Amino acid sequence: MSVRALIKAISEKNNPTVIGLDPKLEYIPEEILDSSVKKYGPGFRAAGEAIFEFNKGLIDAVCDIIPCVKPQSAFYEMYGIHGLEALRNTAAYAKKCGMYVILDAKRGDIGSTAEAYSNAYLGKTDIFGKKMSPFYADALTVNPYLGSDGIKPFLNDCNENGKMIFALVKTSNPSSGELQDIETEYNGEKMPLYMRCAMLVKEWANQTRKSGGYRAVGAVAGATYPEQLKEIRDVLPGVFLLVPGYGAQGAKGEDIAGAFDKNGLGAVVNSSRGLICAYKKLGGDYKTAARDAALDMKNDINKFRGCQK
């Protein structure tokens, strides 16, 4: 089961963190860009090759200390086919290096479209009679706000293929409250919309197998809202949390204490720019800077694991 692999990876490295590989060309060192343009010319292929080279260096630098990698598909899609190839190659390389791969695509639709998304990222596609996996994801982020019929295909693939999903519940962006905090009523009880979504996540999670105390449906809950994060943890005891918002978005280790269970498990914390762009702040080699920033992040978060009140 994918959730068991996630727990094992976190426990072995004593580190509940994720490196978010969200590359833009302006994030990549000039020497990598120049080499790629010299070899392929100034176009999409050069961009894709440079991104993959950058990502390989980052993965090599941190794969022994960080258990998970989370590429965000939008940062690859904007570079066309070669960007998507870089995404696929990045996921494959991360798995080769022993990392757990969370593909951040926030997919959500209904019917056959949802099934196609699930096949692409969690299942297998029938290619002339042969079942093949287009990508190398262990888990996928999904948008649950289309309701249960948009989630069911993903649940099927989680159960059949040992994969995992993380459903958006309370996101880290400043305007999330415009919709997610709207007051609703369920079974006579008033609650914000994100808590109603959390209740649905619990229902969906119960349709998947349990492993290591957790099920194959997780929830995205932002570190920039620590009170709500703790609230979501309390109502979803068997649900793993993916926690964005650390670092560049302003959250610190103490803001994330409420995300963990009493054993210091149950959550993974993402940082993207804070790690992949660390060399711009710290100077020196980008790989060394990313590793130093990753160790600082690990130490900061580990101080507060299992310390929720």
Side-chain angles (χ1 to χ4, degrees), residues 170-181 222 224-225 228 245 248-250 273:
K170 177 62 178 173
T171 56
S172 60
N173 57 303
S175 65
S176 65
E178 291 176 359
L179 291 176
Q180 295 167 20
D181 292 358
T224 48
Y225 300 99
Q228 290 91 335
Q249 292 187 55
R273 284 170 291 165

Side-chain angles (χ1 to χ4, degrees), residues 167-243:
L168 305 179
V169 173
K170 177 62 178 173
T171 56
S172 60
N173 57 303
S175 65
S176 65
E178 291 176 359
L179 291 176
Q180 295 167 20
D181 292 358
I182 291 175
E183 189 174 87
T184 64
E185 186 171 321
Y186 178 65
N187 286 343
E189 181 182 354
K190 291 184 178 180
M191 63 183 67
L193 181 59
Y194 71 83
M195 284 302 295
R196 175 65 187 117
C197 184
M199 299 298 178
L200 285 170
V201 167
K202 180 184 288 188
E203 293 178 18
W204 298 329
N206 287 337
Q207 297 175 41
T208 64
R209 291 183 291 273
K210 182 182 285 189
S211 179
Y214 285 89
R215 297 187 182 270
V217 176
V220 176
T224 48
Y225 300 99
E227 292 183 8
Q228 290 91 335
L229 178 60
K230 177 63 166 63
E231 182 184 22
I232 292 167
R233 169 77 289 150
D234 289 343
V235 302
L236 298 177
V239 170
F240 234 86
L241 303 183
L242 172 59
V243 184

